[in-house]
């Protein structure tokens, strides 16, 4: 049994209330980078769950730079995105 703890970071740039909030400055980095690094610090394996939209390419770029896995899926249905991500990476349990 895999003893890793996974944390899915559900993120997209197209939020209607505060667009691109994940890219806002947070200390010396942006919010998404801060979240990734916090998960790593506490031995939680981060996986970015974002959409297939072109506007979320920046999130994929950040994921690659931070050397974390990512999944691109449904924009409208984040539960489906989590499900599809967990199937892709063969994960039974995760935190969101």
């Amino acid at each position: 049994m895999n003893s890793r703890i996974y944390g899915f970071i559900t993120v997209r740039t197209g939020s209607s209330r505060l667009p691109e909030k994940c890219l806002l400055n947070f200390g010396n980095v942006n919010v998404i980078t801060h979240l990734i690094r916090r998960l790593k610090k506490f031995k939680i394996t981060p996986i970015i769950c974002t959409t297939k939209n072109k506007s979320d390419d920046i999130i994929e770029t950040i994921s690659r730079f931070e050397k974390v896995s990512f999944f691109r899926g449904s924009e409208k249905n984040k539960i489906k995105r989590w499900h599809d991500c967990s199937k892709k990476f063969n994960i039974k349990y995760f935190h969101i």
Side-chain angles (χ1 to χ4, degrees), residues 28-86:
N28 296 329
V29 295
N30 58 39
V31 171
I32 189 71
T33 300
H34 175 76
L35 286 171
I36 290 168
R37 292 178 183 178
R38 290 288 292 179
L39 280 140
K40 286 180 175 180
K41 179 179 175 151
F42 291 101
K43 308 291 189 236
I44 299 171
T45 303
I47 298 179
I48 303 297
C49 292
T50 192
T51 74
K52 295 177 182 178
N53 288 349
K54 181 84 173 139
S55 63
D56 290 330
D57 287 355
I58 184 69
I59 295 171
E60 180 178 332
T61 301
I62 292 168
S63 301
R64 289 180 189 278
F65 183 80
E66 292 295 320
K67 296 179 174 62
V68 297
S69 298
F70 61 90
F71 177 81
R72 298 189 74 165
S74 173
E75 175 186 15
K76 303 292 182 194
N77 188 339
K78 68 181 170 184
I79 294 173
K80 178 171 176 22
R81 200 180 327 154
W82 296 333
H83 177 264
D84 293 346
C85 179
S86 65

Side-chain angles (χ1 to χ4, degrees), residues 9-21:
I9 301 174
T10 307
V11 60
R12 63 189 181 99
T13 58
S15 173
S16 58
R17 290 180 286 169
L18 184 56
E20 299 184 351
K21 65 183 167 193

